[in-house]
């Protein structure tokens, strides 16, 4: 047996002192999350602008809720047995031992805020809108991210189906105004807890007899959330559910009237809709109306299985979280999918007006003066560009040329000391020295011409 070499005390000290190996630095965003770069922001800005304007036009006021809530706010409202709660939540314990989660959607947090701030005393309905990121640990694929963005509206405290119709009208209008013209609304009613109970039993009875033909997930759903079997995408489940009982055939009188009135409103609004008996939206808090906005081809076929948005009524949620009985309805749109669809369709986008003036400077003293002059011009509503980082006047003028501005202001060392500025008309090339104090009036006069 070979003799083992003895390690000296000195070597041991050296090993102990050695720094642990550094973890590899991965220069990429986490899976399912991405950077939205400036080139794509034009679509995003348009989506935000149009959606927030629609919300304001319909009398909705903005609410921001935290990105993080106590986990049971979500699990209680969205419901155990749903994919979101069982598989997709980003949950963790804080240093203080609180169990929290990143929001997978907004409605639960908004219902919590409604109760916490006693909004039930406000005139009804309380109309709120939101926009921001949500997180779901789902398998990333086209149109499905782990970090995605939603815009949505909630109306709390009103049970009239006219509000359901208004929600659909708003969502549809936003999508349409973004240039996505081929949109269809799929609607269904899943009833209230009392009529759903007997419908649920019917479904269980039906699927129980066909259990062997269901996918593994649906076999589990049969125990936890049988309604979810209706929107399973697996071929064999699609076949099995084709002759399953439909919820609209089993609504109680009140739910049936509510749904009938909603459809009448939609007809009046001339919004293209289709009854979709398999639409259940999977979350426990929904009652009565559920709907989704689908992008369709010219011939009316669904282009992708991914919805652009969806929503529904959730009459029991506020009470379930400990508040008063509060009928409510809401919808949310997926901004990622709207922006992607706009890009794909080559939708017309709003472009920021181009700058009409360029401010060039030369020398340290002039640069100091330019900062102030830039602010003065901006404040008086003149769109002005600069490239303060560039040294030579030639390179600055090149930028001005590329931007196609009408006027370039040049501030050199001499002008800075004399408190003047050179005004160069870019079309004619003519230059004139004017008093720096009069620059705003002079530019306004020239731009008006
Ligand atoms: P939901 O309430 O889950 O139907 O979500 C409402 C809308 O948010 C959907 O119609 C999508 O447009 C969008 N959305 C939901 N989940 C994702 C995701 N993982 N990635 C991108 N968009 C999503």
């Amino acid at each position: 047996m070979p003799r083992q070499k003895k390690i000296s005390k000195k070597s041991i000290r050296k090993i102990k002192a050695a720094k642990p190996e550094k973890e590899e630095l991965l220069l990429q965003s986490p899976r399912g999350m991405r950077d939205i770069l400036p080139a794509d922001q034009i679509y995003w800005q348009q989506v935000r602008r149009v959606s927030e304007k629609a919300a304001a036009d319909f009398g909705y006021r903005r609410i921001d809720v935290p990105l993080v809530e106590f986990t049971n706010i979500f699990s209680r409202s969205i419901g155990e047995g749903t994919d979101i709660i069982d598989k997709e939540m980003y949950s963790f314990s804080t240093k203080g031992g609180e169990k929290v989660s990143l929001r997978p959607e907004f409605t639960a947090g908004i219902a919590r805020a409604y109760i916490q701030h006693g909004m039930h005393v406000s005139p009804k309905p309380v109309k709120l809108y939101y926009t921001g990121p949500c997180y779901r640990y789902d398998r990333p694929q086209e149109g499905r991210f782990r970090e995605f963005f939603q815009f949505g509206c909630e109306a709390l405290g009103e049970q009239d189906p006219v509000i359901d119709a208004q929600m659909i009208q708003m969502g549809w209008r936003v999508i349409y105004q973004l240039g996505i013209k081929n949109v269809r609304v799929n609607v269904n009613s899943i009833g209230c807890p009392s009529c759903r109970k007997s419908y649920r039993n019917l479904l269980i009875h039906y699927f129980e007899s066909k259990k062997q033909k269901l996918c593994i997930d649906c076999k589990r759903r049969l125990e936890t959330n049988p309604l979810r079997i209706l929107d399973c995408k697996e071929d064999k489940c699609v076949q099995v559910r084709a002759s399953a009982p439909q919820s609209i055939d089993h609504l109680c009188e009140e739910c049936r009237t509510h749904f009938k009135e909603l459809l009448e409103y939609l007809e009046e609004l001339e919004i293209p809709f289709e009854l979709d008996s398999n639409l259940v939206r999977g979350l426990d808090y929904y009652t009565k109306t559920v709907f989704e906005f689908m992008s369709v081809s010219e011939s009316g076929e669904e282009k992708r299985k991914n919805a652009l948005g969806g929503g529904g009524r959730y009459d029991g949620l506020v009470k379930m979280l400990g508040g008063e009985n509060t009928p409510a309805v809401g919808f949310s749109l997926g901004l990622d999918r709207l922006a992607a669809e706009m890009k794909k369709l080559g939708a017309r986008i709003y472009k920021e007006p181009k700058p009409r003036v360029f401010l060039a400077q030369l020398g340290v003293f002039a640069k100091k003066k330019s900062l102030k002059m830039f602010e003065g011009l901006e404040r008086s509503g003149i769109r002005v560009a600069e490239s303060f980082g560039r040294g030579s006047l030639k390179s600055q003028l090149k930028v001005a040329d590329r931007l196609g501005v009408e006027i370039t202001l040049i501030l050199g060392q001499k002008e800075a000391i004399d408190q003047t500025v050179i005004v160069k008309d870019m079309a004619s090339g003519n230059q004139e020295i004017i008093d720096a104090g009069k620059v705003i009036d002079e530019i306004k006069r020239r731009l008006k011409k």
Side-chain angles (χ1 to χ4, degrees), residues 176-209:
Y176 197 82
Q177 284 183 343
L178 290 172
I180 308 168
K181 304 274 153 107
N182 288 324
V183 185
R184 192 184 57 220
V185 186
N186 289 347
V187 280
N188 193 19
S189 173
I190 52 168
C192 61
S194 64
C195 55
R196 197 177 330 153
K197 206 169 177 183
S198 50
Y199 173 62
R200 195 174 181 271
N201 287 338
L202 271 177
L203 267 189
I204 294 175
H205 187 73
Y206 174 82
F207 284 121
E208 211 44 88
S209 64

Side-chain angles (χ1 to χ4, degrees), residues 256-315:
R256 193 174 317 127
T257 310
H258 187 99
F259 194 50
K260 188 173 145 279
E261 285 178 22
L262 166 67
L263 300 186
E264 284 166 5
Y265 285 123
L266 293 182
E267 269 162 15
E268 189 65 34
L269 286 167
E270 295 182 35
I271 291 178
F273 68 86
E274 202 158 274
L275 291 184
D276 180 354
S277 57
N278 293 321
L279 182 64
V280 292
R281 295 207 30 85
L283 278 62
D284 270 6
Y285 58 60
Y286 284 118
T287 49
K288 295 182 177 161
T289 314
V290 285
F291 55 89
E292 270 183 358
F293 300 100
M294 307 303 295
S295 162
V296 290
S297 64
E298 292 286 341
S299 61
E301 268 179 63
E302 273 172 29
K303 278 207 283 193
R304 273 169 280 281
K305 59 180 192 289
N306 289 339
L308 296 169
R313 192 158 263 288
Y314 51 95
D315 289 347

Side-chain angles (χ1 to χ4, degrees), residues 84 104-105 136 138 143-150 281 283 285-286 292-293 306-311 332-337:
I84 294 183
E105 54 102 59
R136 293 182 195 173
D138 200 354
R144 193 166 293 276
F145 304 97
R146 288 181 175 171
E147 178 185 65
F148 60 96
F149 294 77
Q150 284 190 340
R281 295 207 30 85
L283 278 62
Y285 58 60
Y286 284 118
E292 270 183 358
F293 300 100
N306 289 339
L308 296 169
S332 65
L333 298 176
L335 305 195
D336 309 69
R337 292 186 190 170

Side-chain angles (χ1 to χ4, degrees), residues 79-89 220 224:
E80 311 280 350
T82 58
D83 284 352
I84 294 183
I85 297 303
D86 292 356
K87 303 184 200 159
E88 298 171 4
M89 288 253 276
R220 188 176 42 82
T224 55

Side-chain angles (χ1 to χ4, degrees), residues 235-393:
D235 280 346
K236 46 187 185 176
C237 302
V238 171
Q239 278 177 19
V240 173
R241 73 166 184 236
S243 6
Q246 301 190 352
S247 57
I248 44 169
D249 295 332
H250 301 277
L251 298 177
C252 63
E253 194 53 41
E254 190 198 316
C255 290
R256 193 174 317 127
T257 310
H258 187 99
F259 194 50
K260 188 173 145 279
E261 285 178 22
L262 166 67
L263 300 186
E264 284 166 5
Y265 285 123
L266 293 182
E267 269 162 15
E268 189 65 34
L269 286 167
E270 295 182 35
I271 291 178
F273 68 86
E274 202 158 274
L275 291 184
D276 180 354
S277 57
N278 293 321
L279 182 64
V280 292
R281 295 207 30 85
L283 278 62
D284 270 6
Y285 58 60
Y286 284 118
T287 49
K288 295 182 177 161
T289 314
V290 285
F291 55 89
E292 270 183 358
F293 300 100
M294 307 303 295
S295 162
V296 290
S297 64
E298 292 286 341
S299 61
E301 268 179 63
E302 273 172 29
K303 278 207 283 193
R304 273 169 280 281
K305 59 180 192 289
N306 289 339
L308 296 169
R313 192 158 263 288
Y314 51 95
D315 289 347
L317 177 60
V318 174
K319 182 136 194 242
M320 194 156 80
L321 290 177
E324 287 183 357
N325 210 359
T326 311
V329 58
F331 76 95
S332 65
L333 298 176
L335 305 195
D336 309 69
R337 292 186 190 170
L338 291 175
E341 191 72 9
M342 281 176 73
K343 198 172 171 182
K344 238 173 248 163
L345 293 172
R348 270 216 336 223
I349 43 173
Y350 168 83
K351 288 205 178 103
E352 289 286 339
K354 283 198 335 191
R356 301 179 71 185
V357 177
F358 187 85
L359 179 55
Q361 40 68 42
L362 212 58
V364 181
F365 189 47
K367 193 182 280 195
K368 268 189 199 150
K369 294 272 173 196
S370 313
L371 269 185
K372 193 114 186 260
M373 188 174 283
F374 182 87
E375 193 184 323
L377 289 161
E378 274 287 336
R379 275 189 190 210
S380 55
I382 299 167
R383 290 196 68 83
V384 53
E386 47 73 29
S387 63
F388 289 155
R390 293 196 188 223
S392 79
L393 186 60

